[in-house]
Amino acid sequence: MGSPILLKLFEDNPQVATSVFRLIKQQEDLLTVNRAHSQLMAVNHAAGLHPVVVSQPVFDLIRQAKAVSLLADSCFNLTIGPLVKHWKIGFRGHTVPPAAEIQSLLPLTRPEHVILDPQTCSVFLQQPDMEIDLGAIAKGYIADRIRDELHRMGIEHALINLGGNVLAIGAPLYGGNRWAIGLKKPFGSADASIGVIEVIGKSVVTSGIYERYFEVDGKIYHHILDPKTGYPLDNEILSVTVISDNSIDGDIYTTLLYGMGVEKALSYLATIPYIEAIFVTKTGQIILSSQRQFKFTLLDESYHLA
Ligand code: AMP
Ligand code: MG
């Protein structure tokens, strides 16, 4: 997955750990675009040529990603692949591609050109060189599958951390009655936190512009791209953290909310009671949409709670 994976259990149970890591491996074989082969890569390789039959879970995930991409004004786009590959942010990329090259890729990022056939469970990308990229939701999806597997094995207290996608199962067995999850200090050292988010049995997902980026002439180019322009999204937000039951929702909403900007995101969230968010802005503000499912404590004096 290109990120560190942590599984915290309260018992010495190598069997549980083994089956979780096997599950992650299986999911990666379905969904990755960082290797030549996966079910998703088979779809991408056949772009403009023919539909490809995929497994039901992969089909359902692509269907969900397409639906989110087609929401009005959505900045989530499952067909962002050609732009992600071209920028290579976080993977060797450290120069801004020429504007004409970015322009020429935009027509390949039309979600409506992903043709889904539920009868045959097949996916067809209508234009040659189109590419689906599920990087914005795969970790959330996989975290939920791990939770299901742990529940199946009777585990009621655990923590899964897939490179910043944290999913808490139940409460910790000891060391406090809630899980304490650090809110990362943007551009700080690896373990620097600006606050602590306390939850029981919730998903806590963060998307931040400091996760993968490069800098040219003092300007940051990060890994969340604006599908309208082809350039990194540019607004007042440094990071968005979503607290929800399911990690797939957290992963989807961090991208959606990031694209909306704080003001629009807050009024949007007022209509969705089961999703809550924490925004960290470039002016050092921390803004909470509401605080029903978690407790937040500020640790860093250089930030202030709005
Ligand atoms: P996340 O770590 O969940 O914030 O997702 C970031 C990843 O999502 C990037 O590394 C890309 O693979 C992908 N991505 C970038 N921009 C978009 C976008 N506008 N819509 C969907 N996925 C994106
Ligand atoms: Mg995401």
Side-chain angles (χ1 to χ4, degrees), residues 136-137 207 251-252 254-255:
I137 56 168
S207 270
D251 223 356
I252 289 172
T254 46
T255 308

Side-chain angles (χ1 to χ4, degrees), residues 200-221:
I200 296 173
K202 294 284 170 188
S203 160
V204 180
V205 174
T206 300
S207 270
I209 67 171
Y210 54 83
E211 291 176 311
R212 289 180 182 164
Y213 69 96
F214 63 81
E215 210 172 325
V216 177
D217 298 332
K219 191 168 163 45
I220 300 252
Y221 294 88

Side-chain angles (χ1 to χ4, degrees), residues 257-274:
L257 297 172
Y258 185 76
M260 288 180 193
V262 175
E263 208 184 307
K264 221 174 138 197
L266 287 174
S267 39
Y268 183 72
L269 284 172
T271 66
I272 315 174
Y274 59 96

Side-chain angles (χ1 to χ4, degrees), residues 153-172:
M153 292 184 292
I155 304 290
E156 287 168 10
H157 312 272
L159 190 85
I160 306 153
N161 185 347
L162 304 180
N165 263 64
V166 177
L167 185 52
I169 296 179

Side-chain angles (χ1 to χ4, degrees), residues 22 61 69 77 183 201 219 225 234 246 299:
R22 191 184 305 128
L61 188 62
S69 305
N77 186 323
L183 176 60
K219 191 168 163 45
L225 302 176
D234 191 12
N246 293 314
L299 296 179

Side-chain angles (χ1 to χ4, degrees), residues 55-247:
S55 59
Q56 188 69 51
V58 172
F59 184 84
D60 291 342
L61 188 62
I62 293 174
R63 179 158 55 184
Q64 187 174 9
K66 179 181 173 184
V68 176
S69 305
L70 290 173
L71 293 173
D73 283 332
S74 175
C75 86
F76 185 103
N77 186 323
L78 86 161
T79 57
I80 199 87
L83 284 164
V84 172
K85 287 269 164 74
H86 204 62
W87 277 93
K88 298 195 279 286
I89 295 170
F91 300 86
R92 308 176 305 279
H94 51 262
T95 51
V96 181
E101 290 177 13
I102 291 174
Q103 277 301 322
S104 71
L105 295 173
L106 287 175
L108 299 177
T109 61
R110 305 264 305 269
E112 57 275 29
H113 288 165
V114 177
I115 309 302
L116 300 172
D117 182 356
Q119 239 70 54
T120 53
C121 219
S122 70
V123 185
F124 177 44
L125 305 182
Q126 274 183 322
Q127 310 296 328
D129 299 325
M130 279 181 78
E131 282 181 59
I132 293 179
D133 178 339
L134 298 179
I137 56 168
K139 282 187 289 189
Y141 171 78
I142 295 172
D144 289 340
R145 299 292 72 75
I146 297 172
R147 175 200 50 202
D148 297 347
E149 175 76 356
L150 289 173
H151 279 160
R152 207 183 52 76
M153 292 184 292
I155 304 290
E156 287 168 10
H157 312 272
L159 190 85
I160 306 153
N161 185 347
L162 304 180
N165 263 64
V166 177
L167 185 52
I169 296 179
L173 206 49
Y174 44 80
N177 54 5
R178 294 158 182 261
W179 295 99
I181 296 156
L183 176 60
K184 230 179 193 164
K185 180 172 177 132
F187 305 107
S189 60
D191 54 355
S193 300
I194 51 180
V196 178
I197 303 161
E198 289 177 69
V199 294
I200 296 173
K202 294 284 170 188
S203 160
V204 180
V205 174
T206 300
S207 270
I209 67 171
Y210 54 83
E211 291 176 311
R212 289 180 182 164
Y213 69 96
F214 63 81
E215 210 172 325
V216 177
D217 298 332
K219 191 168 163 45
I220 300 252
Y221 294 88
H222 63 86
H223 71 316
I224 307 167
L225 302 176
D226 182 344
K228 288 192 194 73
T229 63
Y231 286 82
L233 272 165
D234 191 12
N235 61 25
E236 74 277 36
I237 300 173
L238 288 177
S239 73
V240 185
T241 299
V242 168
I243 296 93
S244 56
D245 284 330
N246 293 314
S247 202

